mmCIF file of all heavy atoms in Angstrom:
data_model
loop_
_atom_site.group_PDB
_atom_site.id
_atom_site.type_symbol
_atom_site.label_atom_id
_atom_site.label_comp_id
_atom_site.label_asym_id
_atom_site.label_seq_id
_atom_site.Cartn_x
_atom_site.Cartn_y
_atom_site.Cartn_z
ATOM 1 N N ALA D 135 139.938 123.770 42.339
ATOM 2 C CA ALA D 135 140.870 124.701 41.698
ATOM 3 C C ALA D 135 142.099 124.916 42.578
ATOM 4 O O ALA D 135 143.229 125.001 42.076
ATOM 5 C CB ALA D 135 140.172 126.028 41.412
ATOM 6 N N LEU D 136 141.885 124.993 43.880
ATOM 7 C CA LEU D 136 142.996 125.150 44.816
ATOM 8 C C LEU D 136 143.938 123.958 44.726
ATOM 9 O O LEU D 136 145.159 124.127 44.686
ATOM 10 C CB LEU D 136 142.457 125.302 46.240
ATOM 11 C CG LEU D 136 143.491 125.411 47.354
ATOM 12 C CD1 LEU D 136 144.291 126.710 47.236
ATOM 13 C CD2 LEU D 136 142.809 125.327 48.719
ATOM 14 N N ALA D 137 143.388 122.754 44.677
ATOM 15 C CA ALA D 137 144.215 121.547 44.578
ATOM 16 C C ALA D 137 145.058 121.557 43.311
ATOM 17 O O ALA D 137 146.248 121.223 43.342
ATOM 18 C CB ALA D 137 143.339 120.299 44.628
ATOM 19 N N LEU D 138 144.465 121.967 42.212
ATOM 20 C CA LEU D 138 145.192 122.031 40.941
ATOM 21 C C LEU D 138 146.318 123.060 41.016
ATOM 22 O O LEU D 138 147.445 122.800 40.582
ATOM 23 C CB LEU D 138 144.221 122.368 39.807
ATOM 24 C CG LEU D 138 144.771 122.333 38.405
ATOM 25 C CD1 LEU D 138 145.321 120.958 38.062
ATOM 26 C CD2 LEU D 138 143.696 122.730 37.413
ATOM 27 N N ARG D 139 146.016 124.207 41.586
ATOM 28 C CA ARG D 139 147.023 125.269 41.717
ATOM 29 C C ARG D 139 148.185 124.811 42.611
ATOM 30 O O ARG D 139 149.350 125.018 42.285
ATOM 31 C CB ARG D 139 146.367 126.517 42.297
ATOM 32 C CG ARG D 139 147.315 127.648 42.497
ATOM 33 C CD ARG D 139 146.577 128.866 42.989
ATOM 34 N NE ARG D 139 147.517 129.917 43.270
ATOM 35 C CZ ARG D 139 147.212 131.011 43.917
ATOM 36 N NH1 ARG D 139 145.978 131.205 44.319
ATOM 37 N NH2 ARG D 139 148.119 131.930 44.152
ATOM 38 N N LEU D 140 147.857 124.198 43.740
ATOM 39 C CA LEU D 140 148.893 123.760 44.674
ATOM 40 C C LEU D 140 149.739 122.634 44.105
ATOM 41 O O LEU D 140 150.935 122.540 44.402
ATOM 42 C CB LEU D 140 148.269 123.336 46.003
ATOM 43 C CG LEU D 140 147.792 124.480 46.888
ATOM 44 C CD1 LEU D 140 146.929 123.959 48.018
ATOM 45 C CD2 LEU D 140 148.972 125.273 47.429
ATOM 46 N N ARG D 141 149.132 121.784 43.288
ATOM 47 C CA ARG D 141 149.895 120.692 42.667
ATOM 48 C C ARG D 141 151.073 121.257 41.882
ATOM 49 O O ARG D 141 152.174 120.721 41.918
ATOM 50 C CB ARG D 141 148.996 119.876 41.750
ATOM 51 C CG ARG D 141 149.699 118.698 41.095
ATOM 52 C CD ARG D 141 148.731 117.912 40.273
ATOM 53 N NE ARG D 141 147.720 117.389 41.174
ATOM 54 C CZ ARG D 141 147.307 116.149 41.183
ATOM 55 N NH1 ARG D 141 147.778 115.290 40.314
ATOM 56 N NH2 ARG D 141 146.393 115.751 42.036
ATOM 57 N N GLY D 142 150.842 122.374 41.196
ATOM 58 C CA GLY D 142 151.916 123.025 40.458
ATOM 59 C C GLY D 142 152.989 123.604 41.355
ATOM 60 O O GLY D 142 154.096 123.884 40.908
ATOM 61 N N ASP D 143 152.667 123.760 42.644
ATOM 62 C CA ASP D 143 153.614 124.289 43.620
ATOM 63 C C ASP D 143 154.209 123.166 44.478
ATOM 64 O O ASP D 143 154.837 123.421 45.492
ATOM 65 C CB ASP D 143 152.901 125.318 44.510
ATOM 66 C CG ASP D 143 153.846 126.246 45.224
ATOM 67 O OD1 ASP D 143 155.004 126.400 44.791
ATOM 68 O OD2 ASP D 143 153.441 126.816 46.255
ATOM 69 N N GLY D 144 153.938 121.913 44.092
ATOM 70 C CA GLY D 144 154.522 120.782 44.799
ATOM 71 C C GLY D 144 153.792 120.346 46.057
ATOM 72 O O GLY D 144 154.343 119.615 46.868
ATOM 73 N N VAL D 145 152.538 120.789 46.223
ATOM 74 C CA VAL D 145 151.749 120.432 47.403
ATOM 75 C C VAL D 145 150.477 119.726 46.947
ATOM 76 O O VAL D 145 149.760 120.228 46.085
ATOM 77 C CB VAL D 145 151.380 121.691 48.235
ATOM 78 C CG1 VAL D 145 150.502 121.330 49.411
ATOM 79 C CG2 VAL D 145 152.630 122.412 48.703
ATOM 80 N N LEU D 146 150.204 118.579 47.532
ATOM 81 C CA LEU D 146 149.003 117.830 47.178
ATOM 82 C C LEU D 146 147.976 117.914 48.303
ATOM 83 O O LEU D 146 148.292 117.610 49.452
ATOM 84 C CB LEU D 146 149.340 116.364 46.914
ATOM 85 C CG LEU D 146 150.323 116.096 45.784
ATOM 86 C CD1 LEU D 146 150.600 114.604 45.678
ATOM 87 C CD2 LEU D 146 149.812 116.640 44.464
ATOM 88 N N ILE D 147 146.777 118.355 47.942
ATOM 89 C CA ILE D 147 145.633 118.303 48.843
ATOM 90 C C ILE D 147 144.536 117.547 48.103
ATOM 91 O O ILE D 147 144.583 117.416 46.881
ATOM 92 C CB ILE D 147 145.121 119.701 49.283
ATOM 93 C CG1 ILE D 147 144.532 120.461 48.096
ATOM 94 C CG2 ILE D 147 146.219 120.489 49.975
ATOM 95 C CD1 ILE D 147 143.758 121.713 48.472
ATOM 96 N N GLU D 148 143.567 117.060 48.837
ATOM 97 C CA GLU D 148 142.463 116.340 48.218
ATOM 98 C C GLU D 148 141.186 117.153 48.384
ATOM 99 O O GLU D 148 140.738 117.383 49.508
ATOM 100 C CB GLU D 148 142.309 114.974 48.879
ATOM 101 C CG GLU D 148 141.348 114.073 48.194
ATOM 102 C CD GLU D 148 141.387 112.668 48.759
ATOM 103 O OE1 GLU D 148 141.998 112.433 49.810
ATOM 104 O OE2 GLU D 148 140.767 111.805 48.122
ATOM 105 N N ALA D 149 140.648 117.633 47.270
ATOM 106 C CA ALA D 149 139.386 118.384 47.326
ATOM 107 C C ALA D 149 138.307 117.470 47.895
ATOM 108 O O ALA D 149 138.236 116.292 47.568
ATOM 109 C CB ALA D 149 138.996 118.872 45.935
ATOM 110 N N GLY D 150 137.475 118.018 48.754
ATOM 111 C CA GLY D 150 136.500 117.207 49.466
ATOM 112 C C GLY D 150 135.196 116.963 48.745
ATOM 113 O O GLY D 150 134.381 116.164 49.195
ATOM 114 N N LYS D 151 134.972 117.623 47.622
ATOM 115 C CA LYS D 151 133.685 117.544 46.926
ATOM 116 C C LYS D 151 133.207 116.118 46.694
ATOM 117 O O LYS D 151 132.034 115.806 46.875
ATOM 118 C CB LYS D 151 133.782 118.292 45.609
ATOM 119 C CG LYS D 151 132.489 118.403 44.861
ATOM 120 C CD LYS D 151 132.678 119.237 43.596
ATOM 121 C CE LYS D 151 131.392 119.354 42.815
ATOM 122 N NZ LYS D 151 131.597 120.157 41.606
ATOM 123 N N SER D 152 134.107 115.228 46.336
ATOM 124 C CA SER D 152 133.707 113.848 46.023
ATOM 125 C C SER D 152 133.278 113.045 47.256
ATOM 126 O O SER D 152 132.731 111.956 47.125
ATOM 127 C CB SER D 152 134.835 113.113 45.301
ATOM 128 O OG SER D 152 135.961 112.998 46.136
ATOM 129 N N PHE D 153 133.472 113.573 48.442
ATOM 130 C CA PHE D 153 133.097 112.884 49.665
ATOM 131 C C PHE D 153 131.707 113.281 50.168
ATOM 132 O O PHE D 153 131.255 112.780 51.186
ATOM 133 C CB PHE D 153 134.125 113.148 50.772
ATOM 134 C CG PHE D 153 135.470 112.560 50.465
ATOM 135 C CD1 PHE D 153 136.443 113.315 49.825
ATOM 136 C CD2 PHE D 153 135.755 111.246 50.799
ATOM 137 C CE1 PHE D 153 137.686 112.774 49.541
ATOM 138 C CE2 PHE D 153 136.993 110.692 50.508
ATOM 139 C CZ PHE D 153 137.958 111.457 49.884
ATOM 140 N N PHE D 154 131.054 114.192 49.466
ATOM 141 C CA PHE D 154 129.752 114.692 49.883
ATOM 142 C C PHE D 154 128.676 114.300 48.882
ATOM 143 O O PHE D 154 128.959 114.008 47.724
ATOM 144 C CB PHE D 154 129.786 116.224 50.036
ATOM 145 C CG PHE D 154 130.631 116.686 51.174
ATOM 146 C CD1 PHE D 154 131.977 116.942 51.008
ATOM 147 C CD2 PHE D 154 130.076 116.868 52.435
ATOM 148 C CE1 PHE D 154 132.768 117.369 52.065
ATOM 149 C CE2 PHE D 154 130.849 117.293 53.504
ATOM 150 C CZ PHE D 154 132.202 117.548 53.319
ATOM 151 N N ASP D 155 127.455 114.343 49.320
ATOM 152 C CA ASP D 155 126.294 114.069 48.483
ATOM 153 C C ASP D 155 126.276 115.067 47.323
ATOM 154 O O ASP D 155 126.289 116.281 47.555
ATOM 155 C CB ASP D 155 125.030 114.219 49.339
ATOM 156 C CG ASP D 155 123.748 113.969 48.576
ATOM 157 O OD1 ASP D 155 123.774 113.803 47.349
ATOM 158 O OD2 ASP D 155 122.694 113.945 49.244
ATOM 159 N N PRO D 156 126.238 114.588 46.071
ATOM 160 C CA PRO D 156 126.230 115.502 44.923
ATOM 161 C C PRO D 156 125.040 116.474 44.946
ATOM 162 O O PRO D 156 125.120 117.559 44.383
ATOM 163 C CB PRO D 156 126.149 114.579 43.712
ATOM 164 C CG PRO D 156 126.603 113.251 44.191
ATOM 165 C CD PRO D 156 126.276 113.190 45.651
ATOM 166 N N ALA D 157 123.959 116.098 45.587
ATOM 167 C CA ALA D 157 122.795 116.982 45.671
ATOM 168 C C ALA D 157 123.032 118.127 46.650
ATOM 169 O O ALA D 157 122.308 119.115 46.630
ATOM 170 C CB ALA D 157 121.554 116.190 46.091
ATOM 171 N N ARG D 158 124.038 117.981 47.495
ATOM 172 C CA ARG D 158 124.374 119.023 48.481
ATOM 173 C C ARG D 158 125.880 119.272 48.446
ATOM 174 O O ARG D 158 126.606 118.920 49.372
ATOM 175 C CB ARG D 158 123.936 118.580 49.871
ATOM 176 C CG ARG D 158 122.426 118.414 49.967
ATOM 177 C CD ARG D 158 121.981 117.870 51.285
ATOM 178 N NE ARG D 158 122.634 118.544 52.403
ATOM 179 C CZ ARG D 158 122.659 118.063 53.627
ATOM 180 N NH1 ARG D 158 122.080 116.926 53.908
ATOM 181 N NH2 ARG D 158 123.263 118.727 54.596
ATOM 182 N N PRO D 159 126.390 119.854 47.354
ATOM 183 C CA PRO D 159 127.835 120.016 47.192
ATOM 184 C C PRO D 159 128.457 120.858 48.310
ATOM 185 O O PRO D 159 127.855 121.802 48.793
ATOM 186 C CB PRO D 159 127.979 120.705 45.840
ATOM 187 C CG PRO D 159 126.647 121.200 45.475
ATOM 188 C CD PRO D 159 125.632 120.452 46.277
ATOM 189 N N GLN D 160 129.624 120.451 48.700
ATOM 190 C CA GLN D 160 130.395 121.133 49.738
ATOM 191 C C GLN D 160 131.782 121.424 49.183
ATOM 192 O O GLN D 160 132.731 120.727 49.487
ATOM 193 C CB GLN D 160 130.485 120.258 50.991
ATOM 194 C CG GLN D 160 129.168 119.880 51.598
ATOM 195 C CD GLN D 160 128.508 121.056 52.285
ATOM 196 O OE1 GLN D 160 129.169 121.905 52.885
ATOM 197 N NE2 GLN D 160 127.204 121.136 52.182
#
């Protein structure tokens, strides 16, 4: 959600969720 909000403000970040084991979300 933070990444989506910041995109509208011209800042790109990459949410880390996809880099972690889905069974142990971070």
Side-chain angles (χ1 to χ4, degrees):
L136 177 66
L138 186 59
R139 179 176 176 192
L140 285 168
R141 182 177 298 228
D143 199 21
V145 177
L146 300 178
I147 67 168
E148 189 171 11
K151 186 177 179 180
S152 64
F153 294 92
F154 292 89
D155 180 353
R158 296 175 46 196
Q160 301 288 324

